[in-house]
Amino acid sequence: CWELRKKALGEHHQGTLESINGIANALDCQGKYAQAEALHRQCWELRKKTLGEHHQDTLDSINNMAIALHGQGKYVQAEALYRE
């Protein structure tokens, strides 16, 4: 779905970003935190550019990335994002 949306709608479209986020969340659930972190980071950067820093989806991406960091034992980095 992500690749099809990216081709049809573009990389910065909200639907494409939802697909990236969904894949990253699925990776979190599987305990694949490093892979999830990379996708959450990508989604966060794209959402920041597309929607702005204060949009709810952008803030959700920060929280999701903190979860992935926490799962990897990167507690200091996770805490910083949770506090942001």
Side-chain angles (χ1 to χ4, degrees):
C1 186
W2 173 24
E3 289 300 325
L4 293 173
R5 282 183 170 178
K6 193 161 78 171
K7 288 178 186 173
L9 305 172
E11 183 177 37
H12 294 90
H13 189 276
Q14 183 113 4
T16 305
L17 299 176
E18 288 172 8
S19 291
I20 296 171
N21 190 61
I23 293 167
N25 285 336
L27 290 167
D28 274 329
C29 290
Q30 297 174 60
K32 298 177 180 179
Y33 299 114
Q35 291 172 296
E37 177 192 351
L39 285 180
H40 283 309
R41 190 174 301 279
Q42 179 182 357
C43 190
W44 174 36
E45 292 298 330
L46 290 169
R47 282 179 165 170
K48 233 182 350 183
K49 289 177 188 172
T50 304
L51 304 171
E53 277 187 62
H54 303 291
H55 190 279
Q56 183 61 48
D57 289 349
T58 305
L59 299 175
D60 287 344
S61 288
I62 294 171
N63 188 67
N64 291 341
M65 195 164 52
I67 291 167
L69 289 166
H70 186 264
Q72 295 175 76
K74 298 178 180 179
Y75 303 120
V76 173
Q77 292 173 306
E79 179 186 357
L81 288 179
Y82 283 133
R83 289 181 181 276
E84 192 176 312

